[in-house]
């Protein structure tokens, strides 16, 4: 009876974790697509002459604010986590005189000012450099063409992501993944055709600049995965 109860509890915990994981992935995907769609429209409106028509400077300002904010969140989270662990260990120490019980709770959290900073910077530098370059090229291309053409060319980022993942990380996509990939690209093209028919043609240089951006985005995602693998090594 006890064994069946424990088995049922473990299965419920496992299903709960899987459910929360699926919800997290769904919310992350929704947030990604929402901001990917809104930020170009906002920047296009922002680049008008009466506002601030400097796309490269805008990219630097936005990335700088995001970088400083993330560093602050990481430092606050580190100290919050450390205080929680210290408080929990004190409660365990008060309830038990055995020091061995504290061993499982002596957990350290990686943070921006922690050890091996140079090794971490070496792993993440290509991602930051490529994403900064991509963001600058994106804003420059957005200033050169109307937003519908920009978004249409940006929809090719899925293709570049798959190609870079295959070249750098040796990943393979099954038939279902390829079908989903083609469906997303074709759907974006069909939705943009009617809008693009009402806007003037874009110069070849502007089209090439806007095609460089999704290429760099795919490279960012591929190098991000390789960096995550490197940073999570057990040794």
């Amino acid at each position: 009876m006890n064994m069946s109860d424990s088995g049922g509890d473990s299965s419920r915990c496992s299903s709960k974790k899987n459910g929360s994981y699926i919800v997290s992935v769904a919310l992350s995907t929704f947030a990604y697509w929402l901001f990917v769609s809104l930020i170009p429209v906002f920047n296009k409106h922002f680049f008008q002459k009466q506002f601030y028509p400097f796309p490269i400077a805008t990219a630097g300002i936005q990335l700088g604010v995001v970088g400083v904010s993330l560093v602050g969140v990481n430092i606050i989270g580190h100290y919050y986590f450390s205080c929680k662990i210290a408080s929990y260990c004190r409660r365990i120490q008060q309830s038990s005189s055995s020091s061995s019980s504290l061993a499982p709770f002596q957990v350290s959290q990686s943070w921006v000012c922690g050890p091996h900073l140079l090794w971490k910077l070496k792993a993440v530098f290509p991602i930051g450099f490529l994403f900064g370059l991509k963001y600058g090229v994106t804003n420059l291309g957005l200033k050169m063409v109307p937003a519908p053409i920009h978004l249409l060319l940006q929809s090719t980022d899925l293709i570049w992501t798959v190609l870079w993942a295959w070249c750098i990380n040796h990943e393979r996509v099954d038939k279902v993944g390829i079908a989903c990939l083609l469906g997303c690209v074709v759907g974006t093209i069909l939705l943009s055709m009617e809008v693009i028919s009402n806007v003037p043609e874009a110069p070849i240089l502007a089209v090439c600049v806007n095609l460089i951006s999704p290429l760099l985005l795919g490279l960012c995602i591929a190098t991000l995965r390789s960096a995550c693998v490197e940073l999570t090594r057990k040794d």
Side-chain angles (χ1 to χ4, degrees):
M1 185 67 179
N2 293 333
M3 294 180 62
S4 61
D5 290 341
S6 61
D9 292 339
S10 61
S11 62
R12 282 193 294 270
C13 291
S14 178
S15 61
K16 186 177 180 180
K17 289 181 179 180
N18 292 333
S20 61
Y21 174 76
I22 293 173
V23 171
S24 300
V25 171
L27 291 177
S28 301
T29 305
F30 175 76
Y32 172 78
W33 285 113
L34 178 65
F35 287 108
V36 162
S37 302
L38 288 181
I39 289 177
V41 176
F42 170 78
N43 284 347
K44 184 65 177 180
H45 180 71
F46 194 74
F47 293 153
Q48 297 177 9
K49 291 184 178 180
Q50 61 266 32
F51 292 108
Y52 191 75
F54 305 104
I56 306 298
T58 302
I61 293 172
Q62 292 175 338
L63 289 177
V65 171
V66 171
V68 172
S69 301
L70 290 177
V71 169
V73 169
N74 181 260
I75 293 175
I76 294 173
H78 169 74
Y79 283 107
Y80 176 78
F81 178 83
S82 301
C83 292
K84 294 285 286 184
I85 291 297
S87 175
Y88 191 77
C89 289
R90 284 195 297 268
R91 290 199 302 267
I92 294 295
Q93 190 173 14
Q94 291 173 359
S95 62
S96 176
S97 59
S98 176
S99 60
S100 60
S101 60
L102 296 178
F105 306 106
Q106 294 175 354
V107 182
S108 61
Q109 184 189 38
S110 177
W111 65 305
V112 66
C113 297
H116 311 296
L117 178 61
L118 293 179
W119 173 66
K120 296 175 185 177
L121 290 176
K122 180 181 178 182
V124 302
F125 173 78
I127 308 165
F129 175 78
L130 290 171
F131 189 80
L133 182 62
K134 178 262 175 192
Y135 204 62
V137 172
T138 297
N139 285 352
L140 180 63
L142 185 61
K143 191 175 186 297
M144 298 171 68
V145 299
I149 295 179
H150 172 79
L151 293 176
L152 176 62
L153 297 175
Q154 287 291 308
S155 65
T156 61
D157 59 353
L158 295 174
I159 298 176
W160 295 113
T161 301
V162 172
L163 290 177
W164 284 121
W166 176 70
C167 294
I168 296 177
N169 301 323
H170 307 290
E171 299 181 28
R172 298 294 182 267
V173 182
D174 56 11
K175 295 180 180 179
V176 177
I178 293 177
C180 294
L181 170 66
L182 294 177
C184 292
V185 175
V186 172
T188 305
I189 293 174
L190 293 176
L191 290 174
S192 304
M193 284 180 62
E194 183 177 355
V195 180
I196 290 178
S197 62
N198 299 324
V199 298
E201 294 184 0
I204 298 297
L205 177 61
V207 173
C208 293
V209 171
N210 280 271
L211 280 176
I212 294 175
S213 175
L215 186 148
L216 291 174
L217 178 59
L219 191 57
C220 289
I221 295 175
T223 53
L224 176 62
R225 185 187 185 282
S226 61
C228 289
V229 173
E230 177 68 18
L231 292 174
T232 54
R233 286 169 45 186
K234 298 300 183 181
D235 55 350

